Amino acid sequence: GHRTGILKSADGDILVTSEPKLIDPVKGEWPTIREFLESLFSEYNQIDYVYSWLKCSVQALRDGRLSAPAQALVIVGESSDGKSCFQYAIVTDLLGGRHAPPNRYINGNEFNGALTEAEHLLCEDPVPRTDMRSRLHLGSKVKEIVANETQSSHSKGKQEVKVNPFWRLTITMNSETENLMLLPPMSSDLENKIILLKSTRATNLPDGDEGKAEFGRMIKSELPAFAHFLLNEYEIPESIKCPKGRYGVTHFHHPELIAHLHESSPESRLDIIIQSVLFSKDGASPYDDKWTGKAIDLERKLRDSPT
């Protein structure tokens, strides 16, 4: 996010040798991008969250407000529906043309120097494990990237330094239930830091290499007009503005995805087991609507149950 030159840091001066290549906005039409995005995010008026998130991010980068935060944009959908195209062809180019994969850093690798060379942290299928420790680790990394103004940049064989990068994090994954369980539990301190969207296959997404190449050229040619729309024409609806103003747009979680995430969570499965063992509907339960005891007593009853 920084322009070339000398950058003052808590750990000394840093020479910035390259900068983002921002698109010059030009008033015009952008029919390919409009159809692509509005069909990709067609449910629950998600498109306004996408436009608002992009508007706030592009405006902050252009204005040099590098500490302006934004939620992580998490997109879940069917394979090859266009969500990765959105990441690579639209988000990356609007944010200066540079992206870096944060997967290894998110999974615990301490070396993240390459991430400070890009504005867009582009993550596909973030973690390979669904155990609670891995999910909580992902949540902590998302909070760190989204909320911390100062980051540690550490390249292998080099001294770790403190920097203030402009970062926008997008995460895409396929919609199978096991993939949803890669996501961290939506705790009270994390839920406002994630916009969780469900994608559906874009209606104008082509098949074949030639079609995809032409589609990419069309998107690139329309990006100046789309940038002009975001910066000069689009207004964030009052109903989705961030109440405290920190993020510009408030968070949103697609209801279907949140329901699946909850149903598959360990606490939900435990609740189902407790209900079936202690409060079965077939009249066999000796308890009416209440059971009292210690945690160890509950564990014994659940383990001893034949159901």
Side-chain angles (χ1 to χ4, degrees), residues 106-177:
I106 284 175
N107 290 335
N109 191 318
E110 64 177 298
F111 301 117
N112 67 339
L115 302 186
T116 57
E117 299 175 11
E119 290 73 27
H120 181 200
L121 304 188
L122 191 160
C123 183
E124 298 176 282
D125 299 320
V127 293
R129 298 176 296 276
T130 60
D131 62 278
M132 185 56 69
R133 178 177 293 183
S134 298
R135 295 173 64 202
L136 291 173
H137 181 75
L138 171 61
S140 70
K141 286 299 183 182
V142 168
K143 287 190 289 185
E144 178 183 307
I145 290 171
V146 166
N148 292 359
E149 181 178 343
T150 301
Q151 305 284 346
S152 292
S153 177
H154 191 190
S155 298
K156 193 171 184 179
K158 295 184 179 180
Q159 181 180 348
E160 184 176 4
V161 296
K162 302 294 185 188
V163 293
N164 302 91
F166 177 93
W167 275 346
R168 291 297 182 264
L169 173 63
T170 67
I171 300 173
T172 57
M173 60 180 63
N174 293 335
S175 55
E176 291 82 0
T177 300

Side-chain angles (χ1 to χ4, degrees), residues 253-302:
H253 301 150
H254 191 285
E256 182 182 322
L257 298 179
I258 283 294
H260 282 311
L261 192 60
H262 175 69
E263 289 170 3
S264 304
S265 67
E267 59 270 24
S268 180
R269 292 199 297 270
L270 177 60
D271 180 59
I272 292 172
I273 294 171
I274 291 173
Q275 295 297 329
S276 65
V277 173
L278 298 185
F279 308 107
S280 60
K281 296 180 180 180
D282 58 6
S285 172
Y287 312 104
D288 294 325
D289 60 353
K290 181 173 64 175
W291 178 87
T292 303
K294 296 182 178 180
I296 189 66
D297 299 325
L298 175 61
E299 182 179 349
R300 288 195 186 103
K301 283 188 174 296
L302 298 182

Side-chain angles (χ1 to χ4, degrees), residues 2-282:
H2 296 274
R3 304 303 185 261
T4 55
I6 300 295
L7 173 66
K8 298 295 182 180
S9 165
D11 294 328
D13 292 347
I14 298 174
L15 177 62
V16 181
T17 59
S18 63
E19 62 185 39
K21 297 177 181 178
L22 300 177
I23 294 172
D24 292 327
V26 178
K27 186 175 180 60
E29 300 298 321
W30 43 284
T32 305
I33 295 178
R34 185 186 294 276
E35 181 181 349
F36 172 67
L37 292 181
E38 295 188 1
S39 59
L40 186 65
F41 302 107
S42 59
E43 296 186 6
Y44 288 94
N45 203 34
Q46 295 176 113
I47 189 61
D48 273 322
Y49 291 92
V50 174
Y51 287 158
S52 299
W53 185 88
L54 286 172
K55 176 185 178 72
C56 292
S57 298
V58 174
Q59 189 71 69
L61 180 59
R62 297 182 69 87
D63 292 347
R65 292 183 288 110
L66 306 186
S67 61
Q71 299 97 333
L73 196 64
V74 180
I75 306 168
V76 180
E78 297 298 321
S79 177
S80 303
D81 63 0
K83 55 186 178 293
S84 293
C85 178
F86 167 71
Q87 286 180 293
Y88 285 94
I90 293 181
V91 177
T92 291
D93 280 3
L94 285 175
L95 296 181
R98 303 186 292 192
H99 68 262
N103 297 55
R104 288 195 298 174
Y105 176 63
I106 284 175
N107 290 335
N109 191 318
E110 64 177 298
F111 301 117
N112 67 339
L115 302 186
T116 57
E117 299 175 11
E119 290 73 27
H120 181 200
L121 304 188
L122 191 160
C123 183
E124 298 176 282
D125 299 320
V127 293
R129 298 176 296 276
T130 60
D131 62 278
M132 185 56 69
R133 178 177 293 183
S134 298
R135 295 173 64 202
L136 291 173
H137 181 75
L138 171 61
S140 70
K141 286 299 183 182
V142 168
K143 287 190 289 185
E144 178 183 307
I145 290 171
V146 166
N148 292 359
E149 181 178 343
T150 301
Q151 305 284 346
S152 292
S153 177
H154 191 190
S155 298
K156 193 171 184 179
K158 295 184 179 180
Q159 181 180 348
E160 184 176 4
V161 296
K162 302 294 185 188
V163 293
N164 302 91
F166 177 93
W167 275 346
R168 291 297 182 264
L169 173 63
T170 67
I171 300 173
T172 57
M173 60 180 63
N174 293 335
S175 55
E176 291 82 0
T177 300
E178 57 268 25
N179 289 335
L180 278 176
M181 290 309 298
L182 299 174
L183 293 174
M186 292 295 174
S187 58
S188 58
D189 63 335
L190 179 64
E191 62 179 1
N192 69 329
K193 297 175 178 65
I194 290 178
I195 294 177
L196 179 60
L197 305 177
K198 180 184 177 184
S199 58
T200 54
R201 183 175 172 82
T203 55
N204 61 344
L205 196 66
D207 295 318
D209 292 341
E210 290 186 9
K212 291 178 180 179
E214 178 59 25
F215 186 72
R217 287 191 288 269
M218 289 296 297
I219 286 182
K220 198 170 192 66
S221 69
E222 293 178 5
L223 281 174
F226 183 47
H228 185 277
F229 163 77
L230 292 174
L231 295 170
N232 302 295
E233 301 172 34
Y234 182 75
E235 295 293 335
I236 300 175
E238 289 292 331
S239 60
I240 67 171
K241 284 185 177 180
C242 188
K244 297 182 180 180
R246 185 184 186 194
Y247 294 110
V249 58
T250 191
H251 66 280
F252 169 83
H253 301 150
H254 191 285
E256 182 182 322
L257 298 179
I258 283 294
H260 282 311
L261 192 60
H262 175 69
E263 289 170 3
S264 304
S265 67
E267 59 270 24
S268 180
R269 292 199 297 270
L270 177 60
D271 180 59
I272 292 172
I273 294 171
I274 291 173
Q275 295 297 329
S276 65
V277 173
L278 298 185
F279 308 107
S280 60
K281 296 180 180 180
D282 58 6

